[in-house]
Amino acid sequence: MSKNLILVLNCGSSSLKGAVLDNDSGEVLLSCLGEKLTTPDAYITFKKDGQKHRVELADRHDHTGAVGALLDELKKYGLDADVKAVGHRVVHGGEKYSASVLINDEVIAQLEACIPLAPLHNPANLTGIRAAQAIFAGLPNVAVFDTAFHQTMPEHAYTYAVPRALYKKYAFRRYGFHGTSFRFVAPEAARIIGKDVKDCRLVIAHLGNGASITAVKNGESQDTSMGFTPLEGLVMGTRSGDVDAGIYPFLAANAGMSVEEVSDLLNKKSGLLGISELSNDCRIVEEAAAEGHEGAKLAMAVTAYRLAKYIAAMAVAAGGIDALVFTGGIGENSDAVRAQTVAHLAFLGLKLDEQANVDVRFGKEGIISPKGQTPAVVVVPTNEELMIAHDTAALSGL
C-alpha cells in the first residue's frame, strides 16, 4: 500500500539535514546528515531503524550529489515511489510571507530578493530547493519559513528606533526566527494546561545552540527576542545576544578590528563559549559549573539571568502569562537551566516542582510546576520537521 511520505530538507552552506516522514503517523522512516559539502571530503550519514552508515561523496560532493545519494538510499529500501513532496526549511521570507507556500519561479525570485536579509542562510536554502527539484523531478516543493509565524507582531514590536528611512529602503526591522518551532509548541502547551491556544497567553523559550523567546497571545506571535538577524536576544552557544552596538566603533578604534571581524566575534566566539572560555555545548558548561569551574558558573548565571529578564518582558507583550514553556534541546533537557531561570521569577508567581523538573526530560512533555500552580511551567519537545511535513502535505494536496 502506497504511503504519503514527505521529504524534509534543511540546508546549510556546507551541510544538508534530511528526514523522510510518514505524514499520517509522524514516524521518521529515514534521516540523513550531509557534511563538508562542496569539499572533496564531503560525506552523508544515513540513519534507519537506529542504525547508521556513512556514504562518501567525493565524486558528487555538492548538495545535488547529497540529495542524489539520499534518493539512492530510498531506492534501496523501496521507499522512493512513496515520497510525494519535498518540504524545505527556509530561514527568511521577509515581509512577503506569513505562511508556507508552494515553490514556483515567483517564490524563488522572492527568496533571492531576501538574500541580503539572510546572506548566510537563504543562498543555502535555495541550493537545497534546486537540488530537490533536479533529483526529485516533478514533485511539489514547499517553503516553510522561520520568519512567517512572527508576521503577526504589531508594528510597535517590530520597529527599531532608528531613522524610518532604513525600514522603508532596506526593510530594517525585527523579524524573529524559530517560528516553525513556536507554531508547533504553542497549541501543544495549551493542550497540556487544558486551555484553547486561541484563549491563552504563553511565553515560549526555544533554547538550543541558537535560542529565542516569543510571546504568544491567542495563538499569535506578539514579540520575539531575535531581531533583524538571529544574533539579537538571548545568550546562545556562540552568539552574544543583546550587546551595545557601540562595540563596533570601539573595537575598530582600539583593537583594529573590521566590521566583519567584530561580527564574526559576536556570532561565533561569544555566548556560552565566550564567557566560559570552555565550550559552546551547554552540557559541557553545565557539568563544569557543577564541578566549580568559574567561567562555566558565570556563563550559566548570565544565561539564566538574561533569559529570566526576557521572560518578564515577554509577559508584557503577551498581556500576562498562563504558562512559561521550555522547548529546544536545552529547554527540553536541562533541568539546571530551567531551575536557575525560574528562581529569578517568583515575583511572577512562577515556581518549579523540583522532582518534576528532573523527571520531564529526554523527549518527555509535561508540567514541571507544583500541581494547581498558576502560571504553569511546561516542557514541550518541539518537532519542526513534523510541522514542515504537515504544511508540505496540505499545500501539495495530499
Side-chain angles (χ1 to χ4, degrees), residues 105-120:
D105 290 343
E106 180 187 349
V107 171
I108 287 176
Q110 287 292 334
L111 298 186
E112 289 171 339
C114 285
I115 286 174
L117 299 177
L120 298 178

Side-chain angles (χ1 to χ4, degrees), residues 350-370:
L350 291 161
K351 298 177 184 175
L352 290 186
D353 178 317
E354 291 184 13
Q355 190 58 50
N357 186 39
V358 172
D359 291 343
V360 182
R361 292 182 295 166
F362 312 128
K364 296 177 183 176
E365 66 172 34
I367 296 172
I368 58 172
S369 48

Side-chain angles (χ1 to χ4, degrees), residues 269-333:
K269 300 173 183 176
S270 299
L272 288 176
L273 174 64
I275 301 172
S276 71
E277 299 182 309
L278 189 65
S279 176
N280 68 302
D281 189 322
C282 187
R283 293 165 295 187
I284 293 172
V285 175
E286 199 174 301
E287 288 171 8
E291 294 167 1
H293 187 286
E294 291 302 323
K297 285 163 63 178
L298 180 61
M300 293 292 289
V302 172
T303 297
Y305 175 66
R306 181 86 65 84
L307 175 56
K309 286 206 301 180
Y310 257 105
I311 290 166
M314 290 299 160
V316 173
I321 177 168
D322 295 309
L324 167 62
V325 187
F326 289 97
T327 192
I330 295 170
E332 294 166 27
N333 298 312

Side-chain angles (χ1 to χ4, degrees), residues 63 100 103 129 156 246 281 304 384:
H63 290 76
S100 304
I103 295 171
I129 289 168
H156 66 258
D281 189 322
E384 294 167 275

Side-chain angles (χ1 to χ4, degrees), residues 66-146:
V67 177
L70 171 57
L71 177 58
D72 292 342
E73 193 75 6
L74 288 167
K75 286 179 177 178
K76 189 163 76 176
Y77 297 108
L79 296 173
D80 54 303
D82 290 332
V83 175
K84 302 298 198 303
V86 186
H88 300 264
R89 180 202 178 204
V90 177
V91 168
H92 219 303
E95 292 186 303
K96 174 75 174 178
Y97 297 111
S98 58
S100 304
V101 292
L102 270 171
I103 295 171
N104 56 25
D105 290 343
E106 180 187 349
V107 171
I108 287 176
Q110 287 292 334
L111 298 186
E112 289 171 339
C114 285
I115 286 174
L117 299 177
L120 298 178
H121 295 93
N122 270 35
N125 299 154
L126 282 160
T127 297
I129 289 168
R130 292 181 175 118
Q133 289 175 328
I135 300 299
F136 290 89
L139 292 188
N141 285 257
V142 170
V144 181
F145 303 97
D146 274 13

